[in-house]
Amino acid sequence: MRVERVVCAVDCGHVVNPLTVAEQIESGIVYGLTAALYGQITIENGRVAEGNFDEYPMLRLDSMPEVETHLALSGGDKWGGIGEPGVPPIAPAVCNAIFKITGQRIRALPLRNHDLRWS
């Protein structure tokens, strides 16, 4: 399975450096997509089978979708950071896209455990 494009809108109030916000969102998408597509820790003989990231599949550069980040800044009195707002919504967004295309709900992650060849 491959996600081709992600469009994000983020309201973080105020922004000093918009590029930093875009980079933070994109890195969150990498992390969130990795979890949604591949994120599974396996247990063999009572121990975790993956010893390090070399044994844990990660989203690679050639699998990264095109990402559009739009800032919708509301301003306000308080300043804060951007954090990781790209991580939590990406898995539900991908699962909703699968539902929109196929009519089938995905109820368990990672997506690599599902036969999506028909999609």
Side-chain angles (χ1 to χ4, degrees), residues 43-92:
I43 307 296
E44 294 174 2
N45 299 320
R47 302 180 89 163
V48 173
E50 297 80 13
N52 207 332
F53 282 109
D54 63 332
E55 299 169 350
Y56 184 82
M58 299 286 294
L59 191 68
R60 306 285 185 209
L61 191 57
D62 64 345
S63 300
M64 182 65 184
E66 175 188 339
V67 179
E68 272 181 54
T69 303
H70 301 278
L71 302 180
L73 305 177
S74 61
D77 295 339
K78 297 192 169 130
W79 285 68
I82 186 65
E84 295 286 344
V87 177
I90 192 68

